[in-house]
Amino acid sequence: MGKRGVIWVAAVLYIAIGMVVLGLILSAALPALAKLKDRNIYAQTKELFFVLDKNIRNVVVEGVASQRELNPFTVTKGNFFLNSSNFHWSMKTEALILEPSTAAAPITKQEGNVKIWQEKTKTKGEYILHLDIHYDQVAGQIALEVDPASAGMPLSGTYALLLKNVGVVHNKIVVRMLVH
């Protein structure tokens, strides 16, 4: 084998070793990056809950016909549900954010009006993270009237959300929520 052949064999071996090392680094780093991304999504969604709750309470305090538009209203990952008594968001993740519990006996953490808990799934190392605000428990005088097209439907993506105080019904201040 000539000098040229030895150079080509060495080059191919170095490239192969480099590819193996790069593959090992990526296989170790990608799961950690996914967990960091999920932690960031959790923080953004929790902030979205705080902003939504603050705007609902402002509309209630300001009186009938007061309204706010949240645009953009972005749910990056997971499912966001609106109904007449609460908001709920859940996301599957491998990131351990809180002490995991079971669905039957959740260990909740309260931040402001937001309840947070993380439940174990049947798959080892996989969890479901939950955020929740119940207006029938937290603020008994508020009732939510959700657009029928979006009530109970999972929201994921970018929307415009209109909040409007429509008055008092059955001794509760009704806030109408329209999703565009």
Side-chain angles (χ1 to χ4, degrees), residues 81-88 132-139 142-146 172 177:
F81 294 93
L82 301 169
N83 65 43
S84 62
S85 64
N86 74 319
F87 308 127
H88 182 84
D132 201 27
I133 295 180
H134 275 273
Y135 282 95
D136 56 349
Q137 296 171 2
V138 174
I142 299 174
L144 304 174
E145 184 181 287
V146 181
K172 292 191 176 203
M177 303 176 66

Side-chain angles (χ1 to χ4, degrees), residues 150-171:
S150 58
M153 300 295 293
L155 300 177
S156 188
T158 301
Y159 303 91
L161 182 65
L162 180 67
L163 307 170
K164 184 174 183 180
N165 184 332
V166 294
V168 177
V169 176
H170 302 297
N171 296 326

Side-chain angles (χ1 to χ4, degrees), residues 76-155:
T76 309
K77 185 178 176 184
N79 293 312
F80 190 91
F81 294 93
L82 301 169
N83 65 43
S84 62
S85 64
N86 74 319
F87 308 127
H88 182 84
W89 174 79
S90 62
M91 172 183 77
K92 276 191 177 180
T93 182
E94 292 180 1
L96 186 59
I97 295 172
L98 300 171
E99 181 179 346
S101 57
T102 62
I107 299 170
T108 60
K109 176 183 176 185
Q110 187 91 20
E111 288 190 30
N113 295 321
V114 181
K115 282 187 180 178
I116 306 162
W117 73 96
Q118 189 166 12
E119 72 178 84
K120 299 175 189 175
T121 65
K122 293 180 180 180
T123 306
K124 183 179 179 182
E126 184 177 84
Y127 309 97
I128 300 175
L129 184 61
H130 298 273
L131 295 170
D132 201 27
I133 295 180
H134 275 273
Y135 282 95
D136 56 349
Q137 296 171 2
V138 174
Q141 80 274 11
I142 299 174
L144 304 174
E145 184 181 287
V146 181
D147 178 13
S150 58
M153 300 295 293
L155 300 177

Side-chain angles (χ1 to χ4, degrees), residues 31-93:
L33 289 175
K35 289 177 184 178
L36 284 173
K37 184 178 177 186
D38 284 352
R39 283 183 176 275
N40 189 36
I41 290 169
Y42 157 71
Q44 289 173 346
T45 305
K46 185 170 64 169
E47 183 61 30
L48 181 68
F49 264 70
F50 291 145
V51 167
L52 183 56
D53 184 50
K54 178 183 173 193
N55 280 284
I56 286 174
R57 290 175 187 281
N58 285 342
V59 164
V60 166
V61 168
E62 291 173 1
V64 177
S66 175
Q67 65 183 26
R68 296 281 189 286
E69 183 174 23
L70 300 176
N71 189 9
F73 180 81
T74 303
V75 180
T76 309
K77 185 178 176 184
N79 293 312
F80 190 91
F81 294 93
L82 301 169
N83 65 43
S84 62
S85 64
N86 74 319
F87 308 127
H88 182 84
W89 174 79
S90 62
M91 172 183 77
K92 276 191 177 180
T93 182

